[in-house]
Amino acid sequence: MSWGTELWDQFDNLEKHTQWGIDILEKYIKFVKERTEIELSYAKQLRNLAKKYQPKKNSKEEEEYRYTACKAFLSTLNEMNDYAGQHEVISENMTSHITVELARYVQELKQERKSYFHEGRKAQQHIEICWKQLESSKRRFERDCKEADRAQQYFEKMDADINVTKADVEKARQQAQVRHQMAEDSRADYSSILQKFNREQHEYYHTHIPNIFQKIQEMEERRIVRIGESMKTYAEVDRQVIPIIGKCLDEIVKAAESIDQKNDSQLVIEAYKSGFEPPGDVEFEDYTQPMKRTVSDNSLSNSRGEGKAELKFGGKSKGKLWPFIKKNKLMSLLTSPHQPPPPPPASSSPSAVPNGPQSPKQQKEPLSHRFNEFMTSKPKMHCFRSLKRGLSLKLGATPEDFSNLPPEQRRKKLQQKVDELNKEIQKEMDQRDAITKMKDVYLKNPQMGDPASLDHKLTEVSQNIEKLRLEAQKFEAWLAEVEGRLPARGDQARRQSGLYDAQDPATVPNCAQDRESPDGSYTEEQSQESEVKVLAADFDDEFDDEEPLPAIGTCKALYTFEGQNEGTISVVEGETLYVIEEDKGDGWTRIRRSEEEEGYVPTSYVEVYLDKNAKDS
């Protein structure tokens, strides 16, 4: 079926139809373009979603991803990135293989259609001109025929009239002959133009128009084939990424199947295991027996009260329960603040240096005065965590040897620290080897550089290696201590106050330090299982008769100090207070505001005026 033979008279309708076909093609291009935008937007949203749930570096979340379930989730997030990438591939391929190609084809199609219909209009105009010529010659022939007929009738009339001269008749006859000749000429011209028009019309309807319409038909059929091929490409672009998307989904399933609940449970044990033994049975305390006094009537520091002091050692259960007993506050008050005194706001003093002693010396102070401080000081509430880790640990501070942690957690932290230091040492050694090689190159080829210029850097790297090695040895020693390869450290004696210096070591065990590491944190070791069991009621009986320490002078606060730890007291700049114990060389001075408020302040924060008589005595 050919448009040229079947639709020879539908030029305008074909023009509209071909324009509609181009509109359909442009509509399909717009559809594919919007699909590519959706794919890009979807891929972007998937990437943002995966990024949103990625663990932040150097955060607690990153530590959580050692569990298999979290690893599987992380694998899912990574696969979603690849999944999003496939949607980007879909958008890219559809843009290049469909949108761009079809847009270029539409421009070519429009140009081709324009040329065909321009040729058709040109043929139409030619046939219309031929038709007009035919009509003009026909009208002229008709007019000449009518004029010849009238001239003939006039001649016949004149020839029949006897009153008309012969000359007039001859004139009429000649006029009739001229008109008749003109009619013959018009007839011949009309006949020629008619034949020409018929030929042109035949060529127009049987040759030109069929050829033009055939080209338009072929153009339209190519457009239809092209849009069909584009639709197949549209599907193939999607189909090409299906295997890769399937692999992403397979990896997600594989990650899900790799989840090991037993392994995660074991990781929880490793993460939170303290290494402590569970508490034993609680001993029965018989209150029907007469209560024996544990201290003398005068002072616990009196050596004559050896017979009155009863020391009772508990097992592990007692060791576990002592942070909740009232005597814990007593023992924390018997020692002055463990942290070094802070430097003054404006200027520092020798007593405020960071490496100074940890607590004031109290070797000559009666123990009863410290008990009196406990009885007169205001009680403060402490949370379970601070009690467990030791009241003398500075809030917010972490000891270098991680002694504030349980044994198992402390071992893990120390091992981690040792591994980090070893990596840093290896890094520095690699740098040293590189500098050494460069120096050798400079020695062999002086024009490349001065070997002496690397000496300073080489010395610096060597010093760093030595420092890191010393640091690693320190942490390895602590690690060996925790793992039981070395005996426990013996530096706890440096934390003892004058209370323990005044007591007989055989009589008074390390009750305050049984639960404190050298930095004041809470630890528990095999050799520190025993502790002193003291009845609070007996202490109260002994403390009722104690008298407060006498004032040995006054002092003026140079700066404001906020005492936030046990044993310290807050002062305001310009305030005048009583001095009851001068600085023993540890950077702290003991002062009193009233009978109920006394404690330690940094010596550099006050200006002391001692009473001469008291100082001499």
Short mmCIF file of all heavy atoms in Angstrom, two decimals, residues 234-235 312 388 433 589:
data_model
loop_
_atom_site.label_atom_id
_atom_site.label_comp_id
_atom_site.label_asym_id
_atom_site.label_seq_id
_atom_site.Cartn_x
_atom_site.Cartn_y
_atom_site.Cartn_z
N TYR A 234 15.74 1.14 25.66
CA TYR A 234 15.28 1.53 27.00
C TYR A 234 15.23 0.32 27.92
O TYR A 234 15.66 0.37 29.08
CB TYR A 234 13.91 2.19 26.87
CG TYR A 234 13.27 2.61 28.16
CD1 TYR A 234 13.52 3.87 28.70
CD2 TYR A 234 12.40 1.77 28.84
CE1 TYR A 234 12.92 4.26 29.89
CE2 TYR A 234 11.81 2.15 30.02
CZ TYR A 234 12.07 3.40 30.53
OH TYR A 234 11.48 3.79 31.72
N ALA A 235 14.70 -0.79 27.39
CA ALA A 235 14.62 -2.00 28.21
C ALA A 235 15.98 -2.64 28.40
O ALA A 235 16.31 -3.14 29.50
CB ALA A 235 13.65 -2.99 27.56
N LYS A 312 39.42 -6.45 112.17
CA LYS A 312 38.69 -7.59 111.64
C LYS A 312 38.80 -7.56 110.12
O LYS A 312 38.49 -6.55 109.50
CB LYS A 312 37.23 -7.54 112.06
CG LYS A 312 36.44 -8.78 111.62
CD LYS A 312 35.03 -8.73 112.16
CE LYS A 312 34.26 -9.97 111.78
NZ LYS A 312 32.90 -9.96 112.29
N LYS A 388 33.17 3.60 93.42
CA LYS A 388 33.84 2.39 92.95
C LYS A 388 35.25 2.68 92.48
O LYS A 388 36.16 1.89 92.66
CB LYS A 388 33.02 1.77 91.82
CG LYS A 388 33.57 0.42 91.34
CD LYS A 388 32.66 -0.15 90.29
CE LYS A 388 33.23 -1.49 89.81
NZ LYS A 388 32.41 -2.10 88.78
N ASP A 433 65.54 5.20 58.61
CA ASP A 433 66.21 4.47 57.53
C ASP A 433 66.19 5.27 56.24
O ASP A 433 67.19 5.30 55.50
CB ASP A 433 65.53 3.12 57.31
CG ASP A 433 65.69 2.21 58.52
OD1 ASP A 433 66.60 2.47 59.34
OD2 ASP A 433 64.90 1.24 58.65
N THR A 589 47.74 24.37 102.38
CA THR A 589 47.65 24.94 103.72
C THR A 589 46.26 24.66 104.27
O THR A 589 45.26 24.85 103.56
CB THR A 589 47.88 26.47 103.68
OG1 THR A 589 49.20 26.72 103.19
CG2 THR A 589 47.74 27.07 105.08
#
